[in-house]
């Protein structure tokens, strides 16, 4: 092998040496100037792409790697070779004169596959570079020194039992650290050393498959297979590694359940309780897990309706359960069949046959000495309170169902009747009162009756007896609450205005039945009547409409209440009915007498309606008064001939005047030409009482009034499209009567005559007469005094 590797290395050097070249200008002698000169390309032959060195070299001398040489080396020892890079000096060394490279120690390719180094030729005297530095690679040539390894072993896998040949099981993988690109050192081949003929392995991929059909888990479940991986393509001399694969056959449902015997014999006491387990049977299944789950069913037939069977999920046993009570005297044995089937079937194996098994079960009933049995599970009896002592209220019956039929004796358990209210006949079983009973004290008694077999006092049975103490009707019924009903003024005939009920102290609420009616003497009541609803309630029904609070606010209605007790009792109650104001939908507004004329609690809609009516009435009154006054007034100007003229009258008097005849309207048209002293045109004054205040020719209030009227007419959209005359009848401050306010009255009373009032016109004559008479009386009184 070493000889072959050396030969390959030598051939590689010969082939590669001719292709390596380099060029650079030759070195100049020392002291020679380089200015104006350029380097010339010089061929060099020592640059190598790569060298090879065998790994794991075991020789005593350093291993020769290769030789460096430049064309500038003439053999006169003027050139020195240098080496630098990975492992230079420590792993690789170079002869500075000859350029021979050697490896100083053994190398491992798996540790480092190649080394990158740099070589240079320099002048031995001046150490100046003769050539540019060149880089080359030294590769460590692989040898087969690593065996294949299973890094993930040992392996575990499973495959279903009864699988066909070639079913995939698992795959194993081995790795080889040798160089896969060189030779066959890393080419692995798989084989089975142990595990045949059950399994096979693919030599290239390591896939393990089944090699034998119908492998049964119930026969053998675990297999251990030994797999070998060998390099060098499995050739002789290759290295090998092994691993173990543990293969388990997983279960499939290929086995039906089987009973261990075809007949099961069980014995059950007749005293067994219903729902209890009376026996167990089991069908065995060779499978495991859910494939071994068994379902048991009773085949319909004789005796099967007395029992049921379930499966214990842990033990897969069939548990037989008693559905009905057993009686040895009626039937002493039962026989039926039970089927056992798998719950989860595999369709691949249905061709093997039905996956079920059948067994026969016989159950013998064992006779047991039983206690007496009452003919009822419990008894309920009724008795009226205050019943005389010794009265029989009922009886109980028990009998011995055994073959001997022993006599039975009865007694009352003293713990259930501590006060000894009742007694029982020990032979007949009749129960009678031993004390007077009071329903108001104890309404129900619960006692326990014990039946004992005469020939076996130990065997006893008990039964519960409930005794209801019935009420004797002592209290009459009465109204359930102090009802106070109301009826709307706008109530209709036949309207139910109130529902009421009753209560009674005698009976419990569950047994109360009441009847309601009006008394006979109240049959002529024209306002209200009583209607019985038949469910312990009744209602007040109106017989008329049109109730008025002003006429009568409160009505009293008697009602007769009768119960269903023994003997029946009745009483008469009184219902108070108040007349109230209501809305149209029946909602209550008020019931108080003080609010008849001023009702409270009006709704928002009612208030708005009332206010709207008031506003409409006010508007109608104002319009009516205005029209009446308009008819009485005379127009200032009228024209019947010119229909185009439109005269607008403004009857606004100023200063208390009422018509335009009392004032010269020309003053308003031209205040500057107003006379200083003007008198009323309708009445000629007789006595002058002093000058009147003149009308201002430039009065601010007149100017404001006229401007305001002008703006109103300018913005009036209803004005006619032709010329019209507008009259502004405003007197201003120039009233003939001056001011009548008491503000300007003198603080000191002075004698003053009121004759001047007569000259103000006929409307002031009455006032003048009144003040004139008072003045005359005061004068006469003063004269009498004197």
């Amino acid at each position: 092998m070493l000889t072959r590797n050396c030969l390959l290395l030598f051939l590689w050097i010969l082939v590669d040496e001719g292709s390596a070249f380099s060029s650079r200008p030759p070195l100049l002698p020392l002291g020679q100037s380089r200015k104006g000169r350029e380097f010339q390309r010089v061929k060099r032959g020592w640059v190598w792409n790569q060298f090879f060195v065998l790994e794991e070299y075991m020789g005593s001398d350093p291993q020769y790697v290769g030789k460096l040489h430049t064309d500038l080396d003439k053999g006169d020892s003027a050139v020195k070779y240098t080496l630098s890079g990975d492992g230079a000096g420590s792993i690789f060394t170079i002869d500075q004169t000859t350029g021979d490279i050697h490896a100083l120690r053994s190398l491992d390719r798996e540790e480092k596959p190649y080394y990158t180094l740099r070589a240079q030729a320099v002048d031995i005297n001046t150490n100046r570079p003769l050539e540019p530095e060149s880089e080359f690679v030294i590769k460590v040539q692989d040898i087969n020194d690593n065996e294949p390894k299973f890094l993930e072993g040992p392996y575990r896998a499973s495959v279903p039992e009864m699988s066909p040949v070639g079913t995939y099981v698992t795959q194993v993988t081995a790795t080889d650290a040798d160089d896969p690109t060189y030779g066959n050192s890393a080419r692995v081949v798989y084989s089975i050393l142990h595990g045949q003929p059950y399994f096979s392995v693919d030599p290239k991929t390591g896939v393990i498959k089944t090699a034998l059909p119908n492998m049964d888990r119930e026969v053998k479940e675990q297999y251990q297979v030994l797999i070998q991986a060998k390099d060098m393509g499995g050739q002789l001399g290759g290295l090998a590694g092994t691993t173990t694969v543990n293969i388990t056959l997983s279960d499939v449902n290929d086995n039906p359940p089987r009973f261990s015997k075809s007949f099961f014999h069980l014995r059950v006491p007749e005293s067994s309780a219903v729902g209890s387990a009376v026996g167990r049977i089991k069908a065995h299944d060779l499978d495991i897990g859910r494939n071994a789950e068994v379902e048991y069913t009773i085949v319909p037939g004789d005796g099967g309706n007395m029992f049921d069977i379930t499966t214990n999920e842990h033990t897969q046993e069939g548990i037989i359960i008693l559905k009905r009570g057993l009686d040895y005297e009626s039937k002493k044995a039962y026989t039926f069949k039970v089927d056992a089937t798998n719950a989860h079937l595999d369709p691949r194996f249905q061709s093997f046959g039905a996956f079920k098994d059948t067994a026969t079960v016989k159950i013998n009933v064992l006779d047991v000495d039983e206690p007496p049995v009452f003919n009822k599970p419990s008894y309920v009896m009724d008795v009226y309170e205050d019943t005389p002592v010794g009265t029989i209220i009922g009886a109980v019956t028990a009998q011995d169902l055994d073959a001997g039929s022993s006599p039975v004796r009865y007694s009352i358990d003293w713990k259930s009747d501590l006060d000894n209210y009742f007694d029982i006949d020990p032979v007949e079983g009749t129960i009678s009162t031993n004390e007077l009973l009071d329903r108001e004290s104890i309404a129900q008694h619960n006692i326990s009756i014990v039946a004992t077999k005469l020939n076996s006092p130990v065997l006893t049975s008990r039964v519960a007896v409930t005794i209801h103490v019935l009420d004797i009707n002592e209290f009459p019924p009465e109204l359930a609450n102090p009802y106070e009903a109301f009826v709307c003024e706008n109530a209709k005939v036949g309207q139910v205005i109130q529902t009421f009920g009753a209560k009674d102290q005698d009976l419990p609420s569950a047994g109360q039945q009441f009847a309601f009616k009006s008394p006979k003497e109240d049959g002529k009541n024209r306002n209200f009547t009583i209607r019985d609803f038949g469910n312990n309630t009744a209602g007040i029904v109106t017989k008329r409409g049109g109730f008025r609070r002003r006429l009568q606010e409160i009505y009293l209605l008697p009602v007769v209440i009768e119960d269903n007790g023994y003997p029946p009792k009745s009483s008469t109650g009184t219902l108070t009915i108040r007349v109230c104001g209501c809305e149209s939908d029946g909602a209550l507004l008020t019931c108080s007498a003080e609010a008849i004329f001023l009702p409270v609690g009006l709704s928002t809609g009612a208030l708005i309606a009332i206010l709207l009516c008031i506003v409409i009435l006010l508007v109608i009154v104002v319009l009516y008064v205005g029209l009446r006054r308009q008819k009485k007034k005379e127009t200032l100007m009228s024209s019947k001939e010119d229909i185009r003229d439109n005269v607008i009258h403004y009857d606004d008097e100023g200063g208390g005047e009422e018509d335009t005849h009392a004032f010269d309207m020309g003053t308003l048209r031209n205040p500057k030409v107003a006379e200083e002293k003007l008198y009323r045109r309708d009445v000629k004054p007789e006595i002058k009482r002093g000058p009147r205040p003149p009308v201002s020719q430039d009065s601010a209030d007149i100017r404001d009034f006229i401007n305001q009227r002008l703006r109103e007419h300018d913005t009036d959209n209803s004005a006619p499209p032709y010329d019209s005359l507008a009259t502004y009848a405003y007197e201003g401050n120039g009233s003939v009567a001056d001011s009548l306010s008491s503000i300007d009255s003198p603080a000191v009373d002075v004698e003053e005559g009121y004759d001047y009032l007569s000259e103000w016109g006929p409307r002031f004559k009455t006032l003048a007469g009144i003040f004139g008479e008072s003045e005359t009386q005061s004068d006469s009184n003063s004269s009498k005094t004197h």
Side-chain angles (χ1 to χ4, degrees):
M1 179 66 68
L2 182 60
T3 304
R4 186 187 65 179
N5 292 337
C6 292
L7 180 59
L8 290 175
L9 177 61
F10 178 73
L11 292 175
W12 175 265
I13 293 173
L14 291 179
V15 173
D16 194 57
E17 185 177 8
S19 62
F21 63 91
S22 177
S23 63
R24 63 166 297 162
L27 298 176
L28 297 177
L30 291 175
Q32 185 176 353
S33 174
R34 293 177 179 270
K35 185 176 181 180
R37 299 184 58 185
E38 297 181 356
F39 290 106
Q40 296 180 358
R41 296 178 60 87
V42 178
K43 180 181 179 182
R44 62 183 182 183
W46 58 272
V47 179
W48 300 84
N49 288 333
Q50 58 186 0
F51 292 102
F52 292 91
V53 58
L54 290 175
E55 67 170 336
E56 304 295 343
Y57 176 72
M58 304 302 293
S60 58
D61 297 330
Q63 183 180 1
Y64 178 77
V65 178
K67 182 180 182 63
L68 297 179
H69 182 75
T70 179
D71 294 341
L72 299 178
D73 187 1
K74 305 301 182 181
D76 52 1
S77 300
V79 178
K80 182 175 69 174
Y81 298 95
T82 63
L83 190 66
S84 61
D86 291 342
S90 59
I91 299 177
F92 302 100
T93 181
I94 188 171
D95 190 315
Q96 295 182 356
T97 303
T98 63
D100 293 331
I101 301 174
H102 291 82
L104 299 178
R105 60 182 177 86
S106 177
L107 301 179
D108 188 359
R109 190 201 67 84
E110 288 71 36
E111 179 180 349
K112 189 175 178 64
Y114 63 90
Y115 296 85
T116 302
L117 295 98
R118 294 180 299 278
Q120 193 171 33
V122 299
D123 188 277
I124 195 171
N125 297 320
T126 64
N127 285 330
R128 292 182 178 179
L130 301 178
E131 295 283 349
E133 192 175 52
S134 180
E135 184 178 86
F136 63 96
V137 174
I138 297 179
K139 287 188 175 181
V140 180
Q141 192 172 11
D142 182 57
I143 63 173
N144 190 17
D145 57 344
N146 293 280
E147 73 277 3
K149 295 181 179 179
F150 293 93
L151 301 180
E152 298 179 2
Y155 294 85
R156 291 185 177 275
S158 64
V159 63
E161 63 173 333
M162 310 300 290
S163 296
V165 176
T167 302
Y168 175 86
V169 178
T170 187
Q171 182 178 14
V172 296
T173 303
T175 59
D176 195 318
D178 293 327
D179 188 1
T181 63
Y182 180 75
N184 294 327
S185 298
R187 189 163 70 89
V188 178
V189 174
Y190 301 95
S191 61
I192 290 182
L193 299 182
H194 177 72
Q196 293 176 335
Y198 304 104
F199 302 97
S200 64
V201 63
D202 188 284
K204 294 182 179 180
T205 62
V207 174
I208 300 175
K209 299 179 180 180
T210 58
L212 194 66
N214 300 327
M215 288 188 293
D216 193 356
R217 185 199 65 83
E218 289 74 30
V219 176
K220 184 176 182 180
E221 183 177 6
Q222 298 287 339
Y223 294 87
Q224 191 175 71
V225 179
L226 183 63
I227 302 296
Q228 174 185 268
K230 188 174 183 181
D231 60 10
M232 298 299 294
Q235 297 178 3
L236 187 64
L239 303 178
T242 59
T243 188
T244 301
V245 181
N246 296 311
I247 301 176
T248 303
L249 296 182
S250 59
D251 185 63
V252 297
N253 191 8
D254 59 339
N255 293 282
R258 290 286 182 264
F259 285 107
S260 58
K261 53 185 179 179
S262 60
F263 188 85
F264 292 87
H265 193 186
L266 303 176
R267 293 177 176 84
V268 180
E270 64 172 336
S271 59
S272 299
V274 174
S276 61
V278 297
R280 294 171 181 262
I281 61 176
K282 185 175 183 180
H284 297 272
D285 194 322
L286 298 178
D287 297 322
I288 59 175
R290 66 192 304 267
N291 296 322
E293 294 179 3
V294 181
E295 290 182 350
Y296 298 92
T297 55
I298 294 178
V299 178
D302 181 29
N305 57 352
M306 292 290 294
F307 303 93
D308 196 3
I309 189 168
T310 61
T311 303
N312 186 317
E313 61 181 6
H314 300 292
T315 62
Q316 298 301 316
E317 290 180 317
I319 302 174
I320 300 175
I321 299 174
L322 183 63
K323 291 174 59 178
R324 300 178 184 178
L326 299 175
D327 186 10
Y328 175 81
E329 289 71 25
S330 299
K331 192 170 184 178
K332 299 178 175 56
Y334 297 91
T335 303
F336 52 90
K337 292 183 178 181
V338 177
D339 286 340
T341 59
N342 278 139
H344 308 283
L345 298 178
D346 193 332
R348 294 181 300 171
F349 306 105
Q350 290 184 357
S351 60
F352 292 0
F355 275 68
K356 74 173 184 178
D357 196 11
T358 304
T360 302
V361 178
K362 183 177 182 180
I363 297 179
N364 290 332
V365 181
L366 302 179
D367 186 25
V368 176
D369 196 6
E370 299 172 310
V373 178
F374 286 95
N375 59 353
K376 292 183 180 180
S378 62
Y379 294 85
V380 178
M381 302 177 184
D382 296 330
V383 58
Y384 282 100
E385 61 179 338
D386 297 333
T387 299
V389 175
T391 302
I392 296 176
I393 61 176
V396 296
T397 303
Q399 58 182 345
D400 182 14
L401 300 180
D402 291 333
S405 185
S406 173
V408 178
R409 294 295 178 261
Y410 304 97
S411 62
I412 297 177
D413 187 356
W414 65 272
K415 294 181 181 179
S416 63
D417 188 19
L418 295 176
D419 295 327
N420 198 20
Y421 283 107
F422 304 96
D423 196 5
I424 188 170
D425 187 291
V427 177
E428 300 295 334
T430 56
I431 301 174
S432 59
T433 59
N434 200 33
E435 296 286 346
L436 290 178
L437 303 178
D438 184 11
R439 193 201 70 83
E440 283 69 32
S441 298
I442 303 177
Q444 177 178 305
H445 295 267
N446 297 310
I447 63 176
S448 179
I449 305 298
V450 180
T452 307
K453 292 177 67 171
L454 188 61
N455 60 358
S456 181
V458 195
L459 297 175
T460 62
S461 59
R462 296 172 179 268
V463 70
V465 178
T466 301
I467 301 174
H468 297 289
V469 180
L470 302 181
D471 183 52
I472 295 179
N473 205 10
E474 299 174 330
F475 301 95
E478 58 185 6
L479 291 173
N481 295 300
Y483 298 97
E484 184 171 354
F486 75 91
V487 61
C488 296
E489 291 182 320
N490 56 356
K492 299 178 180 180
V493 178
Q495 181 177 349
V496 179
I497 62 173
Q498 177 68 48
T499 302
F500 59 92
K503 62 181 180 180
D504 195 332
Q505 300 180 17
D506 288 317
L507 296 175
S509 58
Q512 292 177 351
Q513 291 293 330
F514 301 109
F516 304 87
K517 62 182 178 179
S518 299
K520 294 181 180 180
E521 60 272 11
D522 197 48
K524 297 181 180 181
N525 190 335
R526 298 181 179 179
N527 300 313
F528 305 97
T529 185
I530 301 298
R531 180 183 297 172
D532 191 348
F533 296 139
N535 57 354
N536 286 351
T537 61
I540 304 173
V541 183
T542 58
K543 298 177 68 176
R544 67 178 181 88
F547 295 93
R548 294 293 180 266
R549 283 182 289 173
R550 297 180 181 179
L551 300 179
Q552 184 174 351
E553 182 184 0
I554 296 176
Y555 293 86
L556 299 178
L557 179 64
V559 56
V560 177
I561 309 172
E562 184 176 349
D563 61 16
N564 63 334
Y566 177 80
K569 296 282 186 178
S570 64
S571 66
T572 302
T574 303
L575 297 169
T576 302
I577 305 171
R578 186 178 296 275
V579 181
C580 301
C582 303
E583 293 184 357
S584 59
D585 58 352
L588 180 63
L589 293 177
T590 179
C591 284
S592 61
E594 297 79 10
I596 293 177
F597 299 101
L598 185 60
V600 297
L602 291 177
S603 63
T604 304
L607 289 175
I608 293 175
I610 293 172
L611 292 177
L612 185 60
C613 292
I614 294 173
V615 171
I616 293 174
L617 290 174
L618 290 176
V619 172
I620 293 173
V621 171
V622 171
L623 292 176
Y624 178 75
V625 173
L627 291 175
R628 291 294 298 272
R629 292 181 61 184
Q630 182 70 22
K631 290 180 180 180
K632 292 180 180 180
K633 292 182 181 180
E634 297 180 3
T635 58
L636 179 63
M637 298 178 63
S638 62
S639 176
K640 297 182 179 179
E641 298 177 358
D642 189 2
I643 62 175
R644 293 179 59 83
D645 294 337
N646 183 18
V647 180
I648 300 176
H649 298 275
Y650 294 92
D651 297 331
D652 292 334
E653 298 257 334
E657 298 299 330
E658 294 184 1
D659 55 19
T660 58
H661 297 286
F663 191 81
D664 186 6
M665 297 305 295
T667 304
L668 292 176
R669 297 182 180 92
N670 190 4
K672 293 184 179 181
V673 299
E675 297 179 3
E676 294 182 359
K677 298 181 179 179
L678 293 177
Y679 301 95
R680 293 175 60 89
R681 290 179 290 178
D682 55 347
V683 177
K684 183 176 182 181
E686 297 178 359
I687 301 174
K688 299 180 180 179
R689 289 290 181 178
R692 293 182 300 168
V695 178
S696 176
Q697 297 181 0
D698 192 12
S699 177
D701 59 339
I702 294 176
R703 183 171 59 253
D704 294 339
F705 174 76
I706 293 174
N707 291 334
Q708 180 181 357
R709 291 296 183 179
L710 287 173
R711 285 193 299 271
E712 291 177 357
H713 280 282
D714 290 341
T715 59
D716 187 8
N717 295 327
S718 63
Y722 44 82
D723 296 336
S724 61
L725 176 63
T727 302
Y728 304 100
Y730 177 71
E731 291 190 4
N733 295 327
S735 175
V736 177
D738 294 336
S739 175
L740 299 180
S741 174
S742 62
I743 297 176
D744 296 334
S745 303
V748 181
D749 293 338
V750 296
E751 295 182 358
E752 182 179 3
Y754 296 96
D755 295 336
Y756 66 90
L757 293 175
S758 60
E759 67 184 22
W760 285 2
R763 288 178 170 77
F764 291 91
K765 284 183 179 183
T766 303
L767 186 61
I770 294 173
F771 282 96
E773 291 178 0
S774 62
E775 183 177 1
T776 305
Q777 292 177 0
S778 61
D779 291 342
S780 64
N781 293 334
S782 61
S783 62
K784 290 180 182 180
T785 303
H786 292 293

